[in-house]
Amino acid sequence: MLKNNFIEGNLTETAAKATNSSEIVKGTESAKQQRSRKASVLWSTVSKARRTFEKQLHKSNDLKRECLEKLIPSVASDVEHFWSEYMDQTNVLLDSRRFEKECKDLNVDPTILATHIVFLGSGTMNKVLRNGIVNTIGSKYRDFTEKFVSEEAMKYALDYEPEKKEADTTETAA
């Protein structure tokens, strides 16, 4: 009888330890989920902006940018940091040789198209990386030929060159 209690006691202790260790693992997973939620502020903002944009009757690139810019202050303390993260995602597309080749074949500006694809969301962006532009968004790429992000955002794009402005003709003599 003593022997059975000893074995049962060990089993009970082992079960308790297993339960505690699984709770610790669950606690770790929820901490990881919380960290990933904080990292995905970009994607939740893009998602909200896209939903707002899709509800509009008259869509334009200015309106698309405005939908994003209205939400940025509520989620990010630094607008420039938000655009940096946005363009980091754009750069993921621009860094893909397949994406670059397909843009060249379609005769579209890769940077402009990439900014629009990021606006479509992380799922669409990942599908474009896996399956290509036409296989993912079809002929919709033709709608994405004009820049919608600001110059402030564009400076974070790969191979960015600022738009050339006309030289100021009112130079002061020294």
Side-chain angles (χ1 to χ4, degrees):
M1 194 122 183
L2 249 180
K3 195 174 187 182
N4 280 345
N5 284 342
F6 179 71
I7 292 172
E8 286 177 16
N10 282 343
L11 288 175
T12 307
E13 287 175 29
T14 305
K17 287 179 183 175
T19 303
N20 288 340
S21 66
S22 70
E23 287 174 6
I24 291 170
V25 170
K26 286 179 185 174
T28 306
E29 288 173 8
S30 66
K32 285 180 183 176
Q33 288 173 339
Q34 287 175 350
R35 270 188 248 125
S36 68
R37 280 191 204 124
K38 288 181 182 176
S40 69
V41 166
L42 168 81
W43 291 118
S44 66
T45 306
V46 168
S47 179
K48 289 175 187 173
R50 186 179 60 255
R51 283 194 301 268
T52 302
F53 178 74
E54 288 171 352
K55 291 177 185 175
Q56 305 306 309
L57 292 175
H58 304 287
K59 295 175 174 72
S60 69
N61 286 325
D62 290 335
L63 181 62
K64 188 182 279 191
R65 181 180 57 252
E66 192 177 325
C67 287
L68 265 175
E69 288 176 344
K70 291 275 186 206
L71 288 170
I72 294 171
S74 66
V75 294
S77 58
D78 185 6
V79 174
E80 199 158 326
H81 179 72
F82 175 86
W83 283 118
S84 168
E85 286 186 29
Y86 188 94
M87 295 309 285
D88 283 347
Q89 296 304 313
T90 300
N91 290 336
V92 169
L93 286 164
L94 295 174
D95 203 32
S96 165
R97 288 184 183 160
R98 179 181 183 172
F99 181 80
E100 186 179 339
K101 182 187 179 314
E102 196 171 357
C103 285
K104 187 176 181 180
D105 293 345
L106 296 171
N107 199 27
V108 294
D109 182 299
T111 304
I112 291 173
L113 181 59
T115 59
H116 285 279
I117 290 172
V118 170
F119 189 80
L120 294 175
S122 63
T124 302
M125 183 183 120
N126 290 327
K127 285 178 187 174
V128 166
L129 287 169
R130 276 192 315 272
N131 306 324
I133 299 164
V134 175
N135 290 335
T136 304
I137 62 173
S139 62
K140 197 175 184 179
Y141 76 88
R142 293 183 188 124
D143 298 336
F144 304 142
T145 57
E146 294 179 17
K147 184 175 77 164
F148 85 93
V149 297
S150 65
E151 278 299 306
E152 179 183 3
M154 289 300 288
K155 69 183 177 185
Y156 297 106
L158 289 177
D159 302 327
Y160 169 72
E161 291 181 27
E163 290 181 1
K164 292 184 169 98
K165 296 179 181 174
E166 291 182 30
D168 194 0
T169 55
T170 58
E171 292 180 25
T172 19

